[in-house]
Amino acid sequence: MVDCCCKPCNKEKNKDDFDNKVIGPEYGINRKRGCTDILCIPIFLLFWIGMLVIAAFGFWSGNPAALIEPIDFAGNMCGYAQGSGNNNAYNLTGKPYLWYPFEFQPQNIMNISSSRLLDALQMGVCVKSCPNDIVNILDPMKNLPFDAVVCRYDVSPKNAFDKLLKAYHGEGCYFNYFPHEVYFKRCIPMLENSTVDQAVQVVFKQTIKFTNGLKQGLSEVWRSWPALIISAFLCLVLCFVFVLLMRLFVGILVRVVILVFGAVLGCSGGYILYIGVQKWRVSDFDEELRKSARYWLAGGGIILACFVIYLLLVLFLWRRIRKTIAILKEGSRAVNKFPTMLLIPIIGFVLIIGLSFWWAIVAAFLQSSQKPLTLSANDPRWSKYMSEISTFMNTTKFGNMTITVGEGTTALQVLNIYNIFAYFWGVAFIDAVVYCTLAGVVAGWYFSGVGDDKKVEKLSLFKSFYRVVRYHLGSLIFGSLIVAIVQMLRYLFRKIKQRLQQKLLNNAISKLALNAIEAVLWVIEKIVKYINKNAYIMIAVHGSGFCQSASRAFVIIVENILIVGTTNTISDVVLFLARVTITVFSSVICYLLIDLNNTYGFFKPIMPTIDYAIIPSVVAAIATFFITTMFMLMYETAIDTILICVSYELFINPDEKQGPYYMSSRLRRVYLGSKKMNQESSGCCGGSKEEKEENKQEKEMKESNSK
């Protein structure tokens, strides 16, 4: 069955148990599925074929070394032979370093401004090594060492004295006024004790310090690998311990978080209000002090008002908070049943890293494109393809068109935008596959048995992934396309905003409007991602296409908007606190291991003394943050899936008229109350046998009347 998103279809034909609230034979996880949104698959493949063509052009035309290697005043690449590198006009094989000349005359040498330094950056000359000899900045010709003069390649002085004269008159030769530090094959002048602007000196000094610190930091990280591995393994163990604790003590944790947040809100508001009152009392007729007191009073009043609203919300949502706690416990139970689910976020993360490297490489080749490519209808190599495109699009425009793709052309900008959009789409698609696979595992476990009698299906992870790949790639492609389009709009708007802000420096209203539009686009992206996430869960459960799954998820969320909002908010706060706690704890352990090794030498054979333990600790914090993020993604998916499954059951089978619920006894107790639990203990989940028989007879009578 093809969904309406990618191909028109008959709405009546797609009506099923959800539309009529009638449970079919495949209630729960739908095992009898069909391919959905299949027309999106060839579109996706054609798009990536186009991406491969663009990448091939970039690999043929680009030279990423031009973005990294030093380039001299004439566009030659230092360290490359004639004709290579950046199509060098000179043989610079033995000159890998770039030296910046300062073309100053003796009469104005005391006035070295930052603008002159910027001009020097455009006049670089490739040299064998950074010159060590320097001249007197006030009198260059006095006691001059001949090695302190550098000439361009197109200048050929007759002798050493002619070389000095050309440097003195600024005729292609230059004096070296400063000692240097090497920075990525560039001779950066050390500007101490010179007349250069103080701000420029600070920038140059910080650049050198950053370079040296980066080299030292990378060395420290490489040597402290045992501590990094131990902290990463500890982080993974703590994640599973967190899930176990959530299953046992989530009720206490959630209530403590709610109470602590309320206490902080109330105390801070009261304290700020108290400061405002004290300032007002001592202000007398001091207008400045009274103005400050008004700000404090207003701030305290606003915070206390928020505190009152918060208390009312907590009282109003207290029963739903109990439901949220039950959902979190059930999610913990699902994660404990399927620890192998962690493999899917890890694989997804690796794929996204690989895609990021691919995008960066292609972008570097495109950005450094040097060989222009002309596609002309008059060229025999391209005329056939141009005419076929014109015939396919029913136009004669391409039959007489000439397109040049090269540095600075609009066509090259279009290719860069195509590459960025491909990255957005690829990342969104990987996220969709990961999320739908995890949701399929949790939903399959939820519907594997009535009540607490759940069964762990063999190869459940593989089977869920198979269902996604076999039937629903088209739906995930369509959903990820929507996310990519919204992200692309945000990216393009940021580019437009950057250009407009330079022209609207003093226009506050225009700036406010631009910021408002950017905020709206951000909200739209969050809404689209949230809808997609729930649509993927419904795809995993019901097996319908993207549009149908999104609409069903929307109906279910609207029916249970308060419990959904409460669960999402509380789970986000709890998972964020857990992520931060585990990350900080793991990084602190990394620091302590390095410090103990420096003091007692526990790991001396494999880890030497580390001078700056804070650098590996920061790296450990980054690594463990990614690990906890992947783990919490799995946990968050389990929570969202359980919530949608429970809401789906309550929506499609109200009062268990068509059969028992699959929810656990804990969820039944919270959602249905003691009355339902008593009915369950006296007979079946739906009531006593007599009541069940009466309901069956009433149903048969209704069906006969309808016929």
Side-chain angles (χ1 to χ4, degrees), residues 71-74 100-101 117-124:
I71 305 294
D72 72 355
F73 66 95
Y100 300 103
L117 289 175
L118 294 175
D119 292 338
L121 297 179
Q122 309 299 323
M123 300 161 55

Side-chain angles (χ1 to χ4, degrees), residues 14-78:
N14 282 339
K15 277 194 172 183
D16 54 14
D17 57 351
F18 187 90
D19 301 299
N20 299 313
K21 292 190 178 181
V22 176
I23 294 177
E26 290 295 331
Y27 178 42
I29 287 290
N30 186 6
R31 308 287 179 179
K32 297 179 180 179
R33 298 173 181 244
C35 296
T36 56
D37 300 321
I38 55 175
L39 290 184
C40 294
I41 298 177
I43 295 174
F44 189 67
L45 294 176
L46 288 174
F47 177 86
W48 279 98
I49 290 173
M51 187 63 238
L52 292 176
V53 172
I54 292 174
F57 165 75
F59 297 151
W60 171 78
S61 175
N63 183 12
L67 303 176
I68 304 173
E69 297 290 341
I71 305 294
D72 72 355
F73 66 95
N76 302 293
M77 190 179 297
C78 298

